[in-house]
Amino acid sequence: MKIDPALADLVGYAVQRAHLTVMDDLRRRLRPFDISPAKLTALLLIRANPGTDQTRLGKALSINRSSAMKLVNVLAERGLVERRPGRDLRSNALHLTEAGSEALTRMVEATRVSDDAIVARLSASERATLLRLLQRVCSTGSRAPRASDAPPEDAEN
Amino acid sequence: MKIDPALADLVGYAVQRAHLTVMDDLRRRLRPFDISPAKLTALLLIRANPGTDQTRLGKALSINRSSAMKLVNVLAERGLVERRPGRDLRSNALHLTEAGSEALTRMVEATRVSDDAIVARLSASERATLLRLLQRVCSTGSRAPRASDAPPEDAEN
DNA sequence: TATTGTTATACTCTATAACTATA
DNA sequence: TATAGTTATAGAGTATAACAATA
């Protein structure tokens, strides 16, 4: 299948293909952990922000609190995350469990291995350049970092 | 929300965030056309490969032929694509309709506008560098270009 | 036998709207 | 009134399995 020449010189298209390459590799290496990149990001956010609540987690992931609740349900059922009493009687404080913390350490290691494989063909200075240019692309936009491939807009958020 | 420092220097994470920025902007500018990036890619593939069949289209999009059929159904119902008799009595030959062709022209224009906005902060030489480095990242992997954000593997393909 | 399109079914992720309890 | 969590429901996008027609 040919691709349309109208896209060949678009940075956005190159970013999209690179994203697919990255995610394919990451998903493959994450397979032993049975965790999607989006759930991994949720774990990382909880580790970096222990005690955060579901609504805030959802905002960081660009999903609404209803979807965030389902996500936390799955992670809690699997014993990776626990809900503790929050800052008031309405909210939960999310924390990694011991098992979740240990599992996350191994997942992050797999993520690093994946990243190393992806950039194996680039020199250290090329990596730094790529990182810098991508960060400038991001700062063009207005959105917060996120991990899943979520739909368009922020309906409720 | 803080992000986990373990990810800060990963190229894959930067690619992911850039992808979100790009897609958010593109989806916004494509809103008047009521078309997702994945469907746009399908139209582009059909334009670049007129007469292709559903199975091949699906492979190019990394979705199976059942999903490809649904996608074509939607595009056909909207009058953008038509199924003509194929190379044998089993297969269809996919073509853009006149309306589809005209709509696609406008969608591509919107896509270019989006891309220009995304890379507005980069100089011409920086764009070229970014494009080159991203292409090298892609060639590290083994996958074909694709447009949707499809799940992990190639089950049937 | 293999391939193409199709149908039926189900899963994942997400959204919206309404409810509850708390604030 | 506003907020946090929850529940019920729905939609998009995908997959698998089985079938018919054709090759």
Side-chain angles (χ1 to χ4, degrees):
Chain A
M1 282 288 255
K2 278 186 299 192
I3 70 157
D4 198 294
L7 275 63
D9 61 331
L10 296 186
V11 168
Y13 189 58
V15 167
Q16 187 178 34
R17 283 177 309 180
H19 180 247
L20 288 167
T21 301
V22 164
M23 293 310 254
D24 278 351
D25 190 89
L26 181 59
R27 271 188 237 264
R28 191 153 36 80
R29 292 182 203 268
L30 246 28
R31 197 159 302 152
F33 302 100
D34 189 29
I35 196 125
S36 65
K39 290 195 180 73
L40 172 55
T41 303
L43 294 177
L44 287 162
L45 285 167
I46 293 169
R47 179 169 79 175
N49 304 275
T52 193
D53 63 36
Q54 293 176 187
T55 299
R56 281 178 191 147
L57 177 65
K59 279 181 180 157
L61 292 167
S62 285
I63 59 178
N64 69 19
R65 65 210 160 109
S66 176
S67 301
M69 196 206 65
K70 285 198 179 178
L71 181 62
V72 171
N73 280 350
V74 171
L75 297 176
E77 277 163 20
R78 290 181 52 178
L80 301 173
V81 165
E82 62 182 4
R83 291 171 164 114
R84 297 190 197 155
R87 64 187 188 291
D88 62 38
L89 288 175
R90 293 175 301 183
S91 64
N92 300 321
L94 301 176
H95 292 271
L96 296 186
T97 62
E98 186 68 23
S101 184
E102 286 169 11
L104 181 54
T105 300
R106 295 196 305 278
M107 292 173 200
V108 167
E109 179 53 32
T111 302
R112 291 208 151 272
V113 169
S114 173
D115 210 75
D116 286 346
I118 287 297
V119 297
R121 292 198 186 181
L122 304 185
S123 70
S125 77
E126 284 171 331
R127 286 178 215 190
T129 300
L130 179 53
L131 218 44
R132 183 174 53 79
L133 292 174
L134 285 172
Q135 281 160 1
R136 274 218 267 157
V137 165
C138 290
S139 59
T140 305
S142 55
R143 297 277 298 24
R146 174 173 68 170
S148 65
D149 284 321
E153 213 60 330
D154 318 77
E156 185 176 347
N157 296 328
Chain B
M1 282 289 255
K2 278 187 297 191
I3 70 158
D4 199 293
L7 274 63
D9 61 331
L10 296 187
V11 169
Y13 189 58
V15 167
Q16 187 179 33
R17 284 177 308 180
H19 180 247
L20 289 167
T21 301
V22 165
M23 293 312 252
D24 278 352
D25 189 89
L26 181 59
R27 271 188 237 264
R28 191 152 37 79
R29 291 181 204 268
L30 246 28
R31 198 161 303 151
F33 302 100
D34 190 30
I35 197 125
S36 66
K39 290 195 180 73
L40 172 57
T41 303
L43 293 178
L44 286 162
L45 284 167
I46 293 169
R47 179 168 80 174
N49 304 275
T52 192
D53 64 35
Q54 292 176 187
T55 299
R56 281 179 191 147
L57 178 66
K59 279 182 181 158
L61 292 167
S62 285
I63 59 178
N64 70 18
R65 65 209 159 108
S66 177
S67 301
M69 196 206 64
K70 284 198 182 180
L71 182 61
V72 172
N73 281 350
V74 172
L75 297 176
E77 277 163 21
R78 290 182 51 179
L80 302 173
V81 165
E82 61 183 4
R83 292 170 163 114
R84 297 189 196 155
R87 64 185 187 291
D88 62 38
L89 288 175
R90 292 176 300 184
S91 64
N92 300 319
L94 301 176
H95 292 270
L96 296 186
T97 61
E98 186 68 22
S101 184
E102 285 169 12
L104 181 54
T105 299
R106 295 197 305 277
M107 292 173 199
V108 167
E109 179 53 32
T111 302
R112 291 208 151 272
V113 169
S114 173
D115 210 75
D116 287 346
I118 288 297
V119 297
R121 292 198 186 182
L122 304 185
S123 70
S125 77
E126 284 171 332
R127 285 179 215 189
T129 299
L130 180 53
L131 218 44
R132 183 174 53 79
L133 292 174
L134 285 172
Q135 281 160 1
R136 275 218 266 158
V137 165
C138 290
S139 60
T140 305
S142 54
R143 298 278 298 24
R146 175 172 66 169
S148 65
D149 284 321
E153 212 61 329
D154 317 80
E156 186 176 348
N157 296 329

